[in-house]
C-alpha cells in the first residue's frame, strides 16, 4: 500500500507553462488546496500540467517561506547539466527517487527535467525559518549525491513548480528518501 503525503496542487490544468498574467491567480489559489496524495496520484497531477507547491504553508497564510509548515516532496529542477538518460542511470536517483519527468520546456537538444524525491517523513521543525534552512541543506545534499547542480532558484520549499504536458517516468514509486538529522544540524551552521 502506498503511503500518502501532503502537497499543494493547483486546480488549474495546463497544457503549456502558465503565462505571467495567470501566475498570480495560481499563487493565490494553490495555498487553499492542500492535497493528500499517493505517488501515483501525484504523478497524474503532474501529467495534467497542474502547478505544484511542495512545501505546505500554514493554513490561512500566503505562499512564502516564512509561512512554511512542512515539506515531504523535493523536486530537483534541471535546466541543463544532465540528460534524461543520465538521470535514469544515476545510482542515487535509482535508489531514492520516485519518478522523473521532462518539463514543458524540455527538448531532446535542450533537456529540462525534474527528479522527484519523497521523504520518508515530513521535514517540519520548530519554526518556519528552521524548516526553510534545513530544506536548503537537504536540496544541496541531494545535488551533491547526484553529482550535478540543479537550478538553485528552486531550493525553496514554497516555490511554485510548473509541471508538464509529457509523461512521467517511474523510477520506483515505493522509493523514499531516508530522513537525515544532519539536514537540521547543518542548517544551524
Amino acid at each position: 500500500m502506498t503511503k500518502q503525503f501532503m502537497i499543494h496542487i493547483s486546480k488549474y490544468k495546463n497544457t503549456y507553462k502558465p503565462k505571467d498574467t495567470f501566475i498570480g491567480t495560481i499563487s493565490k489559489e494553490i495555498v487553499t488546496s492542500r492535497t493528500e496524495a499517493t505517488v501515483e496520484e501525484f504523478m497524474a497531477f503532474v501529467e495534467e500540467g497542474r502547478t505544484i507547491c511542495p512545501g505546505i504553508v500554514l493554513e490561512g497564510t500566503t505562499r512564502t517561506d516564512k509561512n512554511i509548515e512542512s515539506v515531504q516532496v523535493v523536486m530537483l529542477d534541471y535546466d541543463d547539466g544532465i540528460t534524461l538518460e543520465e538521470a535514469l542511470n544515476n545510482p542515487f536517483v535509482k535508489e531514492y527517487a520516485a519518478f522523473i519527468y521532462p518539463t514543458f520546456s524540455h527538448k531532446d537538444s535542450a533537456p529540462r527535467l525534474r527528479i522527484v524525491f519523497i521523504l520518508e517523513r515530513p521535514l517540519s521543525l520548530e519554526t518556519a525559518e528552521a524548516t526553510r534552512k534545513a530544506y536548503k541543506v537537504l536540496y544541496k545534499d541531494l545535488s551533491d549525491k547526484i553529482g550535478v547542480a540543479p537550478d538553485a532558484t528552486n531550493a525553496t520549499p514554497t516555490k511554485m513548480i510548473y509541471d508538464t504536458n509529457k509523461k512521467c517516468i517511474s523510477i520506483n514509486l515505493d522509493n523514499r528518501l531516508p530522513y537525515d538529522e544532519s539536514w537540521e544540524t547543518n542548517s544551524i551552521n
Side-chain angles (χ1 to χ4, degrees), residues 105-137:
S105 306
H106 175 83
K107 295 178 184 152
D108 290 338
S109 61
R112 293 171 184 249
L113 56 105
R114 296 210 176 86
I115 304 174
V116 180
F117 296 89
I118 312 297
L119 302 180
E120 68 181 0
R121 67 178 172 94
L123 176 64
S124 180
L125 305 179
E126 289 182 25
T127 66
E129 180 64 11
T131 300
R132 183 194 64 79
K133 285 181 178 179
Y135 183 84
K136 282 191 174 286
V137 172

Side-chain angles (χ1 to χ4, degrees), residues 5-12 25-37 45 50-61 63 160:
F5 50 90
M6 296 295 291
I7 46 179
H8 287 292
I9 299 178
S10 174
K11 66 181 177 185
Y12 300 108
T25 301
I26 295 172
S27 183
K28 290 176 186 167
E29 176 269 335
I30 201 167
V31 296
T32 66
S33 57
R34 278 182 185 219
T35 304
E36 190 172 48
F45 291 135
R50 296 191 190 208
T51 301
I52 306 288
C53 175
I56 298 298
V57 296
L58 297 166
E59 289 195 53
T61 65
R63 189 188 52 80
M160 287 196 308

Side-chain angles (χ1 to χ4, degrees), residues 23-158:
I23 289 173
T25 301
I26 295 172
S27 183
K28 290 176 186 167
E29 176 269 335
I30 201 167
V31 296
T32 66
S33 57
R34 278 182 185 219
T35 304
E36 190 172 48
T38 64
V39 179
E40 294 87 349
E41 292 167 334
F42 182 36
M43 283 178 56
F45 291 135
V46 168
E47 290 175 351
E48 290 175 342
R50 296 191 190 208
T51 301
I52 306 288
C53 175
I56 298 298
V57 296
L58 297 166
E59 289 195 53
T61 65
T62 56
R63 189 188 52 80
T64 66
D65 284 351
K66 70 179 183 180
N67 296 325
I68 190 72
E69 181 179 304
S70 67
V71 62
Q72 195 167 354
V73 175
V74 181
M75 302 169 79
L76 297 184
D77 184 36
Y78 288 94
D79 290 338
D80 55 36
I82 192 168
T83 66
L84 197 52
E85 185 176 329
E86 290 168 337
L88 289 167
N89 289 314
N90 182 288
F92 186 80
V93 171
K94 284 185 191 180
E95 187 168 352
Y96 296 109
F99 63 95
I100 296 176
Y101 66 92
T103 69
F104 283 120
S105 306
H106 175 83
K107 295 178 184 152
D108 290 338
S109 61
R112 293 171 184 249
L113 56 105
R114 296 210 176 86
I115 304 174
V116 180
F117 296 89
I118 312 297
L119 302 180
E120 68 181 0
R121 67 178 172 94
L123 176 64
S124 180
L125 305 179
E126 289 182 25
T127 66
E129 180 64 11
T131 300
R132 183 194 64 79
K133 285 181 178 179
Y135 183 84
K136 282 191 174 286
V137 172
L138 160 60
Y139 200 86
K140 180 165 183 347
D141 184 46
L142 292 178
S143 168
D144 291 346
K145 287 177 178 169
I146 291 171
V148 180
D151 182 351
T153 62
N154 285 333
T156 176
T158 58

Side-chain angles (χ1 to χ4, degrees), residues 133-134 137 180-189:
K133 285 181 178 179
V137 172
D180 186 339
E181 300 292 332
S182 73
W183 302 329
E184 298 174 28
T185 56
N186 289 338
S187 69
I188 298 167
N189 302 329

